[in-house]
């Protein structure tokens, strides 16, 4: 998305999500000049159904924004 980012990530047990996001924002900001907002919104995925639900929401985001058609793939997505 042009103005925000969605990601499904797994955090190592000895790290916090806040530390991970902070480090990532510093790295990307230093390389690109992006000025990130101070905070972030997180949602804990608790089971496989919820994981798939969140992944489907993320994949549909550029369609809802009118950036691509339903049968197209968003060029900036990475699917694992």
């Amino acid at each position: 998305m042009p103005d925000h980012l969605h990601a499904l990530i797994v955090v190592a047990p000895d790290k916090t999500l806040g530390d991970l996001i902070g480090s990532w924002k510093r790295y990307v900001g230093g390389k690109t000049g992006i000025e990130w907002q101070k905070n972030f919104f997180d949602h804990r995925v608790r089971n496989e159904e919820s994981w798939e639900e969140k992944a489907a929401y993320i994949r549909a985001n550029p369609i809802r924004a009118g950036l691509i058609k339903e049968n197209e793939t968003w060029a900036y997505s990475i699917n694992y």
Side-chain angles (χ1 to χ4, degrees), residues 27-41:
Y27 174 78
V28 172
K31 296 286 186 186
T32 65
I34 291 173
E35 294 184 34
W36 298 99
Q37 69 182 32
K38 298 234 182 268
N39 296 313
F40 65 96
F41 175 78

Side-chain angles (χ1 to χ4, degrees), residues 28-68:
V28 172
K31 296 286 186 186
T32 65
I34 291 173
E35 294 184 34
W36 298 99
Q37 69 182 32
K38 298 234 182 268
N39 296 313
F40 65 96
F41 175 78
D42 67 321
H43 175 81
R44 185 173 301 254
V45 177
R46 301 190 188 281
N47 58 45
E48 188 67 28
E49 180 182 357
S50 184
W51 180 273
E52 289 302 321
E53 177 184 314
K54 300 307 176 209
Y57 172 86
I58 291 169
R59 284 191 294 271
N61 216 4
I63 298 165
R64 283 190 301 275
L67 299 170
I68 61 172

Side-chain angles (χ1 to χ4, degrees), residues 2 4 9 11-12 16 18 21-22 25 29 38-39 41 43 49-50 54-56 58 60 70 73 76 80:
H4 65 280
I9 60 174
V11 180
T16 68
I21 298 297
K25 284 181 174 181
K38 298 234 182 268
N39 296 313
F41 175 78
H43 175 81
E49 180 182 357
S50 184
K54 300 307 176 209
I58 291 169
E70 193 163 336
T73 301
Y76 305 101
Y80 293 98

Side-chain angles (χ1 to χ4, degrees), residues 11 15-26 40 42:
V11 180
K15 304 291 182 197
T16 68
L17 184 59
D19 290 341
L20 177 72
I21 298 297
S23 294
W24 185 80
K25 284 181 174 181
R26 281 188 295 281
F40 65 96
D42 67 321

